[in-house]
Amino acid sequence: LDTIDFAAIACVTEFSVANNKLTGSVPTEIGMLSVVTRIDLSGNELSGELVDVFASLPKLESLRVGSNGLMGTVPTSLFSLTAFEELGADGNSFTGCIPTEIALSTTLRDLHVESNALSCSIPTEIGAVPSLKDLTAGGNHFPHQLPDEVAWAIKAPVGSGGDATGR
């Protein structure tokens, strides 16, 4: 990704480099894709933190970064984007919590954070997301006790090695 001139492709609406064995980190310059609606970086060998540059991508609907080696926390600005529908961040090493800012989202439909190292309780704020249809969060380190506000979204036990699937 370091060799891509993001300024030169700022007008692309879909950016996909999935399954290309790319290495390195996700550059902050990806924030230059100001009209992009979909970004797919999944299935590579990317590492480091996923820098939160997504506030500069107001049209972003889908971010797929699954099956990489990304770490740090899930970017909070994604959930304030008015068109954002899908986060595929499974199969990484994200830590911490699913951000409580998820309650800001009115369009989030799919949230896939399974097989990471998330360890906080699933936030009760997730129950305030009216559009959420698919939540997968198994294979993390969540406490086994789920808040009542989350019960509608979870059909199976959640925890280390557990499974959580959405409605």
Side-chain angles (χ1 to χ4, degrees):
L1 289 176
D2 292 336
T3 60
I4 296 173
D5 182 358
F6 286 98
I9 61 167
C11 61
V12 302
T13 57
E14 294 192 19
F15 180 75
S16 178
V17 291
N19 303 308
N20 279 295
K21 298 183 181 179
L22 298 174
T23 60
S25 61
V26 178
T28 58
E29 291 80 11
I30 204 161
M32 295 174 146
L33 303 177
S34 60
V35 296
V36 72
T37 59
R38 301 189 178 284
I39 297 175
D40 190 349
L41 308 174
S42 61
N44 284 294
E45 298 170 12
L46 299 172
S47 59
E49 291 194 22
L50 184 58
V51 180
D52 197 349
V53 297
F54 303 103
S56 65
L57 306 177
K59 298 178 186 270
L60 188 65
E61 297 171 4
S62 172
L63 176 64
R64 294 180 181 169
V65 294
S67 300
N68 279 292
L70 298 171
M71 60 180 84
T73 58
V74 174
T76 60
S77 69
L78 291 169
F79 303 113
S80 61
L81 298 174
T82 58
F84 194 66
E85 298 177 351
E86 175 190 26
L87 174 61
D90 52 299
N92 282 289
S93 296
F94 288 112
T95 58
C97 306
I98 296 172
T100 57
E101 288 83 356
I102 195 167
L104 300 172
S105 179
T106 58
T107 55
L108 183 66
R109 186 187 67 239
D110 300 311
L111 178 63
H112 303 285
V113 292
E114 68 271 18
S115 301
N116 278 287
L118 299 171
S119 58
C120 300
S121 293
I122 294 177
T124 58
E125 290 83 358
I126 208 164
V129 181
S131 55
L132 188 62
K133 300 291 184 212
D134 192 9
L135 166 66
T136 54
N140 281 288
H141 305 291
F142 297 124
H144 287 282
Q145 184 72 345
L146 292 175
D148 290 338
E149 296 86 350
V150 181
W152 64 265
I154 306 297
K155 293 182 179 175
V158 178
S160 181
D163 184 44
T165 55
R167 55 183 170 154

